[in-house]
């Protein structure tokens, strides 16, 4: 059965595109074309923004009680859960995420995000926020939805990162235009179908796939009130510049080059078990991966050998195979980028494991899990985001030196500290300059803010704090 699609989801309708331009979607594991989907031009963006604008300005949605919106979100959650398996398969086909991981993080986790924010909305205190006034009777503080949101989503976790924006925006009463990455579009149709089945009101959620130029048009569109973006730091800087010029609120969740600090007393077995989630998640294609491994000089050789041995146990294969640990890169162009960094690493450091393409795998965009040793923190492979299954091990002298090296980065998104002494690890974690840090593991928590500092972005997702990013505050001074 063909997976081709021929329409956009705008105003709860399947709308024919304004041109005959299409994106060709590729199976990352085989390199074969699997579908064609329409590519939006400016007129399609205009239609999607108009639908979202009309829903915000004229429908009951932003003026509903938060508990009423929560009921809609709960229905959406159920419809999304029913499609979890199909969503996971669509994502793994397109971007190469191992299906066992996709079932958890793309098929299941977005349901939990919706549930969390529906719960926040359902429990919202409907009473007025009344504060003392020094110059009058009292001050009333209102939190109102910011308006129409442009949500721009990357290819590495296309569903989770879309719902990260959709759920708090819905809880706040906003309407949304979602632009998925051209490489991962099929999943967005499944999410749109779930929204339609759940009775999400027309215009609240709209999907149009587009390239970067049309994405830039969406960011600067006069009908947009806020932008929420996840992607590269380079693209984030451009979006931030546009929003700064327009004085338009923006949330930027960008790249990282996080450090995994292995303290001298760490249990290597626990650390090795944590690497797949903390340092190599999604074939290395996760923004917060701790790809700089900081090892104590006294145990450096032991750490390098242990990681090399662990990488050798990982099964590299088709993303649709449940036994696969490491799938392909998301595209041929991205594999070339990763291989360029590996070539640079061979000139800077010592290649210990991997470094090439797996033998007997002549189709798809595969790269071997790769390990470099004798890496200086100033090396290119230690400073720039590779976004692939490439780890660099850097030696440090003591805890203070480890913190210095970890903080010597343009990024500050994730990181982890590993130790048999939890208090010692926590002390080191508090000194790491990063928006998030894990102790003896790493996994973002729905109830706590997630985001970066420095080149890793502005603003936060997750936690109740995320809802505030989709609200405007108004103070009403009651003088008498």
């Amino acid at each position: 059965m063909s997976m081709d699609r021929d329409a956009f989801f705008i105003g709860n309708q399947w709308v024919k595109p304004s041109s005959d331009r299409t994106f060709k979607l590729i199976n990352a594991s085989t390199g074969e074309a699997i579908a064609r989907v329409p590519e939006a031009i400016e007129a399609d963006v205009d239609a999607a923004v108009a639908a979202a604008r009309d829903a915000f300005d004229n429908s009951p949605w932003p003026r509903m009680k938060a508990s009423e919106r929560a009921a809609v979100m709960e229905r959406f959650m159920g419809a999304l859960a029913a499609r979890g398996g199909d969503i996971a398969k669509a994502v793994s086909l397109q971007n190469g995420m191992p299906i066992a991981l996709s079932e958890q993080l793309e098929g299941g986790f977005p349901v939990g995000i919706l549930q969390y924010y529906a719960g926040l909305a359902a429990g919202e205190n409907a009473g007025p926020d009344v504060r003392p006034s020094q110059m009058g009777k009292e001050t009333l503080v209102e939190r109102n939805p910011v308006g129409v949101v442009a949500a721009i989503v990357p290819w590495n976790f296309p569903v989770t990162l879309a719902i990260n924006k959709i759920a708090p925006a819905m809880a706040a009463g906003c309407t949304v235009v979602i632009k998925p990455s051209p490489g991962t579009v099929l999943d967005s149709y499944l999410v749109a179908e779930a929204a339609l089945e759940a009775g999400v009101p027309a215009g609240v959620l709209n999907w149009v796939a587009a390239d970067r130029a049309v994405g830039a048009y969406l960011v600067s569109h006069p009908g947009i009130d806020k932008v929420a973006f996840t992607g590269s730091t380079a693209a984030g800087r451009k979006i931030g510049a546009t929003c700064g010029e327009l004085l338009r609120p923006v949330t930027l969740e960008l790249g990282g080059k996080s450090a995994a600090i292995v303290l001298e007393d760490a249990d290597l077995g626990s650390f090795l078990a944590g690497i797949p989630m903390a340092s190599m998640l999604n074939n290395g294609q996760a923004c917060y991966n701790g790809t700089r491994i900081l090892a104590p000089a006294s145990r450096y050789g032991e750490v390098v050998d242990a990681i090399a041995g662990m990488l050798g146990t990982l099964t590299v294969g088709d993303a649709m195979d449940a036994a696969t640990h490491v799938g392909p890169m998301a595209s041929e162009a991205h594999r070339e980028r990763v291989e360029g960094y590996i070539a640079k690493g061979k000139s800077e450091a010592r290649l210990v494991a991997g470094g090439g393409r797996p033998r007997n795998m002549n189709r798809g965009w595969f790269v071997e899990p790769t390990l470099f040793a004798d890496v200086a923190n100033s090396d290119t492979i230690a400073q720039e985001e590779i976004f692939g299954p490439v780890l660099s091990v850097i030696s440090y002298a003591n805890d203070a030196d480890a913190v210095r090296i970890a903080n010597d980065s343009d990024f500050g998104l994730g990181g982890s500290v590993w130790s048999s002494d939890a208090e010692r690890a926590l002390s080191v974690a508090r000194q790491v300059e990063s928006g998030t840090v894990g102790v003896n593991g790493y996994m973002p928590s729905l109830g706590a803010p997630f985001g970066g500092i420095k080149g890793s972005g502005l603003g936060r997702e997750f936690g109740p704090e995320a809802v505030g990013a989709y609200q405007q505050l108004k103070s009403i001074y009651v003088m008498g």
Side-chain angles (χ1 to χ4, degrees):
M1 185 177 68
S2 172
M3 289 188 283
D4 291 353
R5 298 281 191 159
D6 62 0
F8 299 117
F9 187 75
I10 299 174
N12 279 17
Q13 301 292 321
W14 296 108
V15 178
K16 294 296 183 182
S18 301
S19 77
D20 59 0
R21 289 162 57 172
T22 61
F23 290 121
K24 181 168 67 173
L25 300 177
I26 304 295
N27 182 332
S29 295
T30 67
E32 298 172 343
I34 53 175
R36 282 195 175 273
V37 297
E39 176 185 351
I41 62 173
E42 286 82 354
D44 301 306
V45 169
D46 289 341
V49 173
R53 187 82 261 164
D54 182 62
F56 186 79
D57 292 341
N58 301 312
S59 84
W61 176 254
R63 287 158 283 278
M64 285 181 180
K65 292 180 180 179
S67 58
E68 294 175 323
R69 289 196 296 270
V72 175
M73 294 172 69
E74 287 168 357
R75 294 197 302 270
F76 186 19
M77 179 184 71
L80 197 65
R83 292 165 172 79
D86 290 337
I87 287 171
K89 290 174 184 175
V91 170
S92 293
L93 275 174
Q94 295 170 103
N95 74 2
M97 182 185 299
I99 187 67
L101 182 67
S102 186
E103 288 171 347
Q104 297 177 53
L105 298 187
E106 291 290 273
F109 195 59
V111 176
I113 299 171
L114 273 171
Q115 183 178 37
Y116 175 80
Y117 285 101
L120 285 185
E124 184 175 293
N125 183 357
D129 182 356
V130 182
R131 303 187 187 182
S133 174
Q134 288 72 41
M135 302 296 292
K137 181 181 177 183
E138 61 189 16
T139 300
L140 308 179
V141 179
E142 294 185 345
R143 292 169 176 80
N144 301 309
V146 71
V148 178
V149 176
I152 301 176
V153 184
W155 47 258
N156 59 329
F157 293 93
V159 181
T160 290
L161 295 177
I163 299 297
N164 276 2
K165 298 158 182 55
I166 290 168
M170 289 181 73
C174 296
T175 61
V176 191
V177 176
I178 304 103
K179 190 201 84 65
S181 166
T184 47
V185 184
L186 293 176
D187 46 279
S188 67
Y189 285 94
L190 297 171
V191 180
E193 289 168 0
L196 189 60
E197 178 186 299
V200 175
V204 171
L205 300 177
N206 310 272
W207 273 266
V208 284
D211 65 10
R212 290 184 179 182
V214 176
Y217 177 77
L218 172 62
V219 167
S220 62
H221 199 288
I224 293 296
D225 298 303
K226 174 193 165 60
V227 177
F229 171 78
T230 299
S232 72
T233 297
R237 290 186 190 280
K238 293 178 182 178
I239 290 170
T242 298
C243 290
E245 181 69 25
L246 296 170
L247 297 180
R248 178 167 294 169
V250 62
T251 302
L252 302 172
E253 200 271 276
L254 309 177
K257 193 69 182 180
S258 303
I261 303 174
V262 182
L263 296 182
E264 197 168 24
D265 64 351
D267 175 67
L268 278 191
S270 297
F271 171 63
L272 296 176
I275 284 179
M277 295 300 285
S279 296
M280 290 191 63
L281 186 68
N282 192 20
N283 315 328
Q285 299 171 143
C287 51
Y288 58 67
N289 275 333
T291 55
R292 287 186 297 152
I293 311 297
L294 275 52
S298 61
R299 301 184 67 184
Y300 187 82
E302 179 188 3
V303 171
V304 170
D305 290 345
I307 297 173
M310 187 279 293
L311 294 183
T313 69
L314 299 179
T315 299
V316 180
D318 192 306
M320 302 305 292
D321 187 339
T324 291
H325 299 118
V326 179
M329 299 295 91
S331 68
E332 184 175 20
H334 187 60
R335 178 174 67 172
E336 290 176 357
R337 179 180 185 274
V338 172
E339 289 179 331
Y341 276 109
I342 291 173
K344 180 66 174 177
K346 290 176 180 177
S347 70
E348 292 181 326
R350 174 168 60 94
L351 179 66
V352 177
R357 299 178 183 179
R359 295 179 182 178
N360 303 320
M361 299 186 73
N362 299 319
R363 302 192 307 165
W365 321 129
F366 293 93
V367 173
E368 292 176 322
T370 298
L371 179 66
F372 286 101
D374 302 336
V375 180
N377 197 55
S378 58
D379 288 341
T380 300
I381 59 170
Q383 286 295 315
E384 297 185 11
E385 186 176 38
I386 298 173
F387 224 60
V390 182
L391 303 179
S392 299
V393 187
I394 302 167
S395 177
Y396 69 85
N398 51 43
D399 289 6
D401 192 37
V403 170
R404 178 190 63 79
I405 294 170
N407 293 342
D408 183 15
S409 173
D410 292 335
F411 300 100
L413 181 58
S416 56
V417 183
W418 304 79
S419 172
S420 295
D421 183 340
E423 287 302 315
R424 180 184 180 189
L426 188 59
S427 174
V428 171
R430 287 191 167 114
Q431 299 173 66
V432 175
E433 296 172 355
S434 181
T436 66
V437 186
V439 172
N440 291 325
Y442 185 96
M443 179 52 66
S445 168
L446 273 178
F450 171 84
I453 61 174
K454 299 190 280 189
S456 291
L458 299 169
R460 294 293 183 266
E461 296 184 324
F462 292 159
E465 291 82 0
V467 178
Y470 295 90
Q471 294 174 321
Q472 296 279 25
L473 295 176
K474 176 190 283 187
S475 293
I476 301 175
Y477 308 122
V478 180
M479 304 304 294

